[in-house]
Amino acid sequence: TATFYATVETYSPDAKVASRENAVIMNKVKKAVILAGAIESKLETDSYSVSPEYTYDKNGKRVFKEYEANSLKIVVDNVKIVGKVMDAAVEAGAMNVHSVNFGVKDRSQYSDRVLRLATQNALHKAEIMAETVGSKVIGTVSLSQSSRSVYAPVFEAEMDLKAVGMRETTPVEATKEEMETTVNAV
């Protein structure tokens, strides 16, 4: 999966106007990312704020501006379409798209398989060592394990959209996660 954030910012001296404008644009962003492949149930409001912002005119006088920001957390299950979904957010009015993180949908199925393989490997090595000295493994007294994940970049091929008459999509490179488990058996 890929998770990123899209932020909509609006400015107006009137908080109500800034809020309405922000709602219109954020609704466009939500619709656009859903049409691009994001799943509606995986969209979450990350933050929302209305606060004053001040600028200075050419005479150095402080000028009040109302400022509103609304940030949407977007989770995409298909990492091959992340660039397309990000582009849709920007085209619909998001002013900031940031913090792309990659993860595994169902981590437990992979970590359980790695643990099972590591345990089988530990038992196999124990049997070889015992056989070498004329003994047999008849059971275990204790088992312990430690795990870690290692992330490495993976290139995701992009289709040549210019060749088929479509606009080019922002390239996004996913990461590959490797899981490592050490099993100690007595």
Side-chain angles (χ1 to χ4, degrees):
T1 64
T3 302
F4 67 93
Y5 299 83
T7 303
V8 171
E9 297 176 0
T10 51
Y11 299 89
S12 174
D14 184 333
K16 290 177 189 174
V17 172
S19 182
R20 279 194 301 271
E21 288 176 2
N22 194 283
V24 167
I25 297 168
M26 184 52 82
N27 281 320
K28 286 180 183 178
V29 169
K30 285 176 68 175
K31 288 175 187 171
V33 298
I34 291 166
L35 284 172
I39 299 168
E40 186 172 7
S41 64
K42 295 194 176 188
L43 302 179
E44 299 175 14
T45 299
D46 178 58
S47 65
Y48 181 86
S49 66
V50 179
S51 58
E53 182 173 280
Y54 298 94
T55 59
Y56 295 89
D57 66 14
K58 59 184 171 188
N59 298 324
K61 183 179 174 189
R62 191 167 85 158
V63 179
F64 170 76
K65 279 172 86 173
E66 188 72 31
Y67 162 79
E68 180 161 328
N70 189 350
S71 183
L72 182 67
K73 178 181 175 183
I74 301 166
V75 179
V76 179
D77 285 344
N78 180 353
V79 295
K80 292 180 181 178
I81 66 166
V82 173
K84 177 182 169 186
V85 175
M86 291 169 74
D87 289 345
V90 172
E91 289 171 12
M95 296 179 78
N96 189 343
V97 174
H98 58 94
S99 303
V100 181
N101 293 301
F102 296 94
V104 177
K105 245 187 281 191
D106 183 7
R107 174 179 291 291
S108 65
Q109 74 170 322
Y110 299 106
S111 61
D112 290 352
R113 187 166 60 193
V114 169
L115 180 58
R116 184 171 285 108
L117 290 170
T119 304
Q120 290 169 348
N121 189 37
L123 178 59
H124 176 71
K125 288 179 179 179
E127 288 170 343
I128 291 172
M129 289 186 286
E131 183 181 297
T132 302
V133 295
S135 295
K136 258 187 171 177
V137 173
I138 57 170
T140 56
V141 174
S142 70
L143 291 168
S144 64
Q145 64 97 203
S146 61
S147 299
R148 71 182 189 121
S149 294
V150 179
Y151 296 90
V154 175
F155 175 73
E156 290 289 337
E158 289 283 333
M159 183 173 95
D160 185 0
L161 298 174
K162 287 181 182 174
V164 293
M166 294 177 68
R167 79 173 228 30
E168 194 164 348
T169 301
T170 299
V172 176
E173 294 182 23
T175 54
K176 178 180 177 185
E177 181 178 354
E178 294 180 6
M179 295 180 180
E180 187 177 288
T181 296
T182 302
V183 172
N184 297 309
V186 178

